[in-house]
Amino acid sequence: MALAVSCALAYQPAHAQQQDNAAESKDTQASTVLDTVTVTATRSPNSRFDVPASVSTVSREELDDAQANTVSTLLRTLPNVNYGGGPRPAAQSPAIRGLQGPRIILSVDGARRNYEGGVNTPLLIDPDFIRQVDVVRGPVSAVYGGGGLGGVMAFETITADDFLEPGKNFGGRIKGGYRSANEEWSTNLTTAARSGDFDFLASGTFRDFGEIHTGASGDHAKYPNDGNLKSGLIKGGFSPNELNRVEVSYQRFVDKMVGPTNPGGNLLSQFSHNLKRDQEQYTGSWAFRDTDRRLLDGKLTLYQTTFKLNSHSLATPPQADTTTMTKTVGVSLQNSSRFDTGSWMAHRLTYGVDFYRDTSENTSAGQSNSVLPNGKMRAVGVFLQDEISFLDNWTLIGALRHDDYKLTSPGQSEVSHDKLSPKLTLKYQPWKVLGVYGSYGKAYRGPTLTEMFGNLSTNRALFNFRPNTDLKPETSTAKEVGATLSFDDVLGRGDRLLMKAAYFTEDVKDMIDQQVVGRYTREAPFAGTGMIFQRRNVARAERHGGELEVAYAWDDLSLGLGYSRLRSKNAETGANLYAPPDKLSFGAQYRIDHNWSVRYLGQFVRAQDYDATELRRRSGYAVHDIGVTYQRRQYRVDVGITNLFNKGYATYQQSLADTFSYEQGRSVNVTLSARF
């Protein structure tokens, strides 16, 4: 079996401190790689290395080092995280442990990004605005509610503190870049200010891009994708004292491009169109605590997100114009209280309530879209979690959540379900260098509007769909064991080695799977034989796999290694279900002196030749990226080459089984930035 590696290598201090902190890299490097703080796994602050769950974190510094122009740039290197869909960002949907779409929870600053996606990505956010990404692998319904079968991907946006030097009240950054693989020019301007108890941040990005040059040849050498992107973030905060902070923010993401009807398509997808995507988010939050965080340590978050997608056909004869809109309104309130029960047991009790409502409105040729039906989904959940530390080296985390949701669509009967999701985790730290844990939990996901009611029955279409109003919610029972290892002075004085591994098994009942239920003869403007799809419950699916992350730091050298493997099958028939291939990534970064640093990242992906659906199978591949950074005072220059050997490869996860869209080929990337 092949290894799959996640490389999160990031010892890269802030711009003005990089030279001063060069001598402090020994312990900090490994900590930055694997020991950052996450609040996602348990909805309470914990070290990513120590928390008893499979968690990865990507920092702002890592995104800068990778010269990221999409969120998939680095996230696709994490263990059991995949970003397929082809080279166009519009088609790149994240998957965690082989599960994507409504099976994972996506959030930005605490606001859920709920969109079924289909052939389009459900997540629109520019990497210039990202401060940190936390990825939790495995069922999280016990703390986050329905949809958390695969895990959660939580994005935190930049703040004024990230751009203000100590003692300064104004600062910012200007950045420009070019990528040859998609002919992209980009600019970003970020400013931050502080006045008394108030702080403010504004950031804007513009990207102009063209044809995508792949590593393939012939008809697949170039894909059309001409367009541009405009994105903005405005954030204001008020901290009247150390115990309270109020923050409001507004985000907007708008891009336009010309390409095939399916953004994951290749040149065989000849039906071109203008695609416009528009994502808005309003967020307000109040963080509160008491002096010693004993009774109060919580946060209230209110949000509204709106996703719009408009498609205008350029084909002859034209196809129907389509519009899609999903609006999510939500509120979340949680608090943590700390108390002791005796001298040998301490508790951190986290509890709260979440509510959100999705409204979907979709049209085709000005009429209701039968494939993406209109409707509403309402969900409300209450949860309680107790993190118990006892006998010095034991930790027990128990969580219980109750969710109730309702699905309505015009002309259809109302569908409602309620579920109780428990989770129990036990960790034992017998020595400083070793920690072990085991967890048991249940999760669920209710069927979506499209899965239940999506319907298309015409010969003048590429594919047809049949509704299934008898769909049941997916339920999952997962077991996971893991271990952490931490060593100092392994190969030399002052070095540090961190390792974290997890193995899981999962039993999914009533798993919803898209299956072919028939075929038909297409009519003009289409030709050939089309397939008829319907979502059905697989009686029982068995899944198992694991992840490994390794980080090593010694002076100015940092190394990262990761591993992931996943298998999934129908327990009754033995047929292999959707499961991404084994993946190996390895990264290295070396700081030559105060100004220069070099880095390497390689991904090695095994062939996926065991999927029961043969059209989904893919060949293995290896991709290599290199880069160099020069930084002096507030100025920084990054030069990198991605896909160094111009490898032609198609990822396993694509929007259609027979798409075979090839990823970007060799790209020379240059980024210039300056802080002020």
Side-chain angles (χ1 to χ4, degrees):
M1 81 183 164
L3 292 176
V5 182
S6 150
C7 187
L9 288 175
Y11 179 68
Q12 189 70 23
H15 76 285
Q17 299 174 338
Q18 184 173 11
Q19 298 180 38
D20 296 336
N21 290 348
E24 299 179 5
S25 64
K26 295 180 180 179
D27 285 338
T28 312
Q29 283 178 304
S31 298
T32 307
V33 172
L34 198 56
D35 203 18
T36 50
V37 173
T38 174
V39 297
T40 306
T42 60
R43 296 184 70 151
S44 56
N46 284 286
S47 158
R48 179 166 75 94
F49 179 69
D50 293 329
V51 69
S54 186
V55 185
S56 293
T57 299
V58 174
S59 67
R60 172 72 258 161
E61 290 77 12
E62 293 171 85
L63 293 168
D64 286 338
D65 288 346
Q67 299 172 270
N69 68 326
T70 67
V71 294
S72 67
T73 304
L74 266 184
L75 295 183
R76 69 194 335 167
T77 71
L78 301 177
N80 267 332
V81 176
N82 295 87
Y83 255 97
R88 297 182 184 90
Q92 294 175 350
S93 296
I96 303 175
R97 287 186 175 175
L99 302 177
Q100 64 183 112
R103 291 188 178 99
I104 65 174
I105 294 172
L106 302 172
S107 72
V108 179
D109 289 338
R112 291 180 67 122
R113 294 288 183 92
N114 296 339
Y115 172 60
E116 290 188 48
V119 297
N120 294 280
T121 181
L123 179 68
L124 278 65
I125 182 172
D126 194 86
D128 284 335
F129 302 153
I130 298 173
R131 184 175 189 268
Q132 180 170 305
V133 188
D134 289 343
V135 179
V136 181
R137 293 175 286 267
V140 292
S141 290
V143 288
Y144 284 97
L149 266 69
V152 60
M153 190 174 286
F155 294 79
E156 179 186 350
T157 59
I158 53 179
T159 66
D161 286 342
D162 297 323
F163 295 89
L164 295 178
E165 295 297 325
K168 301 291 185 180
N169 293 322
F170 181 77
R173 181 188 66 182
I174 185 169
K175 184 173 74 168
Y178 175 75
R179 300 179 66 90
S180 65
N182 65 338
E183 304 172 3
E184 177 186 295
W185 294 92
S186 63
T187 57
N188 170 263
L189 174 62
T190 302
T191 59
R194 179 182 290 113
S195 177
D197 298 329
F198 294 88
D199 55 76
F200 176 82
L201 176 136
S203 184
T205 293
F206 176 78
R207 301 181 188 273
D208 185 87
F209 41 84
E211 281 188 323
I212 295 175
H213 301 256
T214 74
S217 58
D219 291 339
H220 292 279
K222 295 180 181 180
Y223 294 147
N225 193 48
D226 295 340
N228 61 70
L229 180 156
K230 301 174 184 177
S231 190
L233 169 66
I234 299 174
K235 184 179 291 188
F238 172 57
S239 302
N241 50 53
E242 295 181 353
L243 307 180
N244 293 272
R245 176 171 173 81
V246 177
E247 190 170 274
V248 294
S249 66
Y250 171 75
Q251 300 178 47
R252 182 83 181 271
F253 179 109
V254 181
D255 65 358
K256 303 175 183 179
M257 65 203 75
V258 176
T261 307
N262 175 359
N266 52 35
L267 290 182
L268 300 177
S269 304
Q270 54 186 302
F271 301 101
S272 183
H273 71 164
N274 277 324
L275 180 71
K276 178 183 178 181
R277 304 184 299 165
D278 190 340
Q279 175 88 61
E280 275 190 304
Q281 177 173 318
Y282 297 87
T283 309
S285 66
W286 170 37
F288 54 88
R289 66 179 179 88
D290 55 25
T291 304
D292 55 3
R293 300 180 187 268
R294 296 291 291 180
L295 294 179
L296 296 177
D297 187 8
K299 192 172 188 178
L300 171 66
T301 303
L302 300 93
Y303 61 89
Q304 175 181 297
T305 63
T306 304
F307 174 89
K308 297 179 181 178
L309 187 150
N310 297 321
S311 173
H312 172 66
S313 176
L314 301 177
T316 304
Q319 296 178 281
D321 290 350
T322 62
T323 66
T324 297
M325 190 280 291
T326 299
K327 178 188 289 185
T328 303
V329 177
V331 58
S332 174
L333 174 63
Q334 74 170 61
N335 182 54
S336 293
S337 301
R338 295 166 175 81
F339 58 93
D340 298 332
T341 52
S343 59
W344 55 278
M345 183 177 293
H347 301 257
R348 176 164 61 181
L349 199 64
T350 303
Y351 44 93
V353 58
D354 299 316
F355 167 85
Y356 65 89
R357 183 182 68 242
D358 291 339
T359 302
S360 298
E361 297 177 2
N362 311 294
T363 67
S364 178
Q367 304 297 318
S368 295
N369 190 333
S370 62
V371 180
L372 302 173
N374 297 334
K376 294 183 179 182
M377 196 279 281
R378 185 268 300 152
V380 58
V382 292
F383 66 92
L384 175 68
Q385 175 184 270
D386 193 4
E387 299 172 75
I388 307 171
S389 302
F390 60 99
L391 297 177
D392 295 329
N393 48 14
W394 289 87
T395 302
L396 178 65
I397 304 176
L400 185 64
R401 181 182 177 107
H402 180 268
D403 282 281
D404 178 88
Y405 76 95
K406 180 171 64 175
L407 201 66
T408 58
S409 183
Q412 303 290 344
S413 300
E414 177 182 294
V415 177
S416 61
H417 294 278
D418 65 281
K419 289 290 181 181
L420 197 64
S421 304
K423 188 171 185 179
L424 191 66
T425 303
L426 180 64
K427 181 182 179 182
Y428 177 50
Q429 189 88 30
W431 305 288
K432 181 180 179 181
V433 299
L434 173 66
V436 294
Y437 72 88
S439 68
Y440 172 89
K442 291 183 175 291
Y444 84 97
R445 179 186 77 88
T448 65
L449 288 165
T450 300
E451 290 172 334
M452 292 196 73
F453 307 127
N455 185 23
L456 181 64
S457 183
T458 174
N459 292 344
R460 300 186 62 188
L462 279 171
F463 302 99
N464 275 197
F465 301 90
R466 297 290 183 266
N468 185 356
T469 57
D470 295 326
L471 277 180
K472 303 174 185 176
E474 298 174 330
T475 59
S476 166
T477 301
K479 302 172 185 177
E480 181 171 316
V481 294
T484 59
L485 288 168
S486 174
F487 299 101
D488 296 324
D489 302 328
V490 180
L491 300 178
R493 185 174 181 180
D495 70 354
R496 192 178 187 198
L497 175 66
L498 300 178
M499 302 175 63
K500 188 169 186 177
Y503 174 79
F504 66 90
T505 62
E506 189 175 3
D507 190 353
V508 183
K509 295 182 179 179
D510 298 317
M511 189 170 187
I512 299 172
D513 186 41
Q514 181 171 278
Q515 299 183 356
V516 178
V517 295
R519 287 176 169 80
Y520 64 97
T521 301
R522 296 169 176 152
E523 295 180 359
F526 305 97
T529 300
M531 292 181 287
I532 303 173
F533 295 103
Q534 185 182 52
R535 303 298 179 100
R536 293 184 173 181
N537 290 109
V538 176
R540 183 165 159 255
E542 293 178 344
R543 293 160 38 86
H544 64 92
E547 297 100 19
L548 169 69
E549 289 184 282
V550 182
Y552 176 76
W554 188 12
D555 291 331
D556 296 318
L557 173 68
S558 59
L559 305 175
L561 183 73
Y563 160 82
S564 63
R565 176 183 172 90
L566 175 66
R567 295 293 184 270
S568 179
K569 69 176 182 179
N570 186 317
E572 293 187 352
T573 66
N576 287 320
L577 302 176
Y578 184 94
D582 303 345
K583 181 175 60 178
L584 170 71
S585 300
F586 170 75
Q589 181 166 330
Y590 180 69
R591 188 171 52 227
I592 300 172
D593 57 26
H594 293 334
N595 305 116
W596 292 92
S597 63
V598 293
R599 56 190 172 273
Y600 163 82
L601 174 62
Q603 292 187 69
F604 307 88
V605 179
R606 182 186 178 182
Q608 218 297 6
D609 53 9
Y610 42 85
D611 195 313
T613 303
E614 293 187 11
L615 287 174
R616 281 206 297 251
R617 297 177 182 178
R618 294 291 188 269
S619 300
Y621 57 87
V623 182
H624 308 269
D625 303 339
I626 59 173
V628 59
T629 296
Y630 176 79
Q631 185 162 339
R632 184 174 179 84
R633 298 187 178 91
Q634 71 268 40
Y635 303 104
R636 173 169 170 162
V637 180
D638 290 274
V639 179
I641 303 178
T642 52
N643 197 354
L644 179 63
F645 300 109
N646 201 35
K647 176 69 176 179
Y649 67 100
T651 58
Y652 170 70
Q653 178 198 354
Q654 298 200 346
S655 53
L656 294 176
D658 56 354
T659 299
F660 278 89
S661 293
Y662 288 86
E663 297 294 322
Q664 286 189 9
R666 181 189 298 115
S667 183
V668 178
N669 315 313
V670 180
T671 306
L672 309 176
S673 61
R675 297 235 182 187
F676 55 86

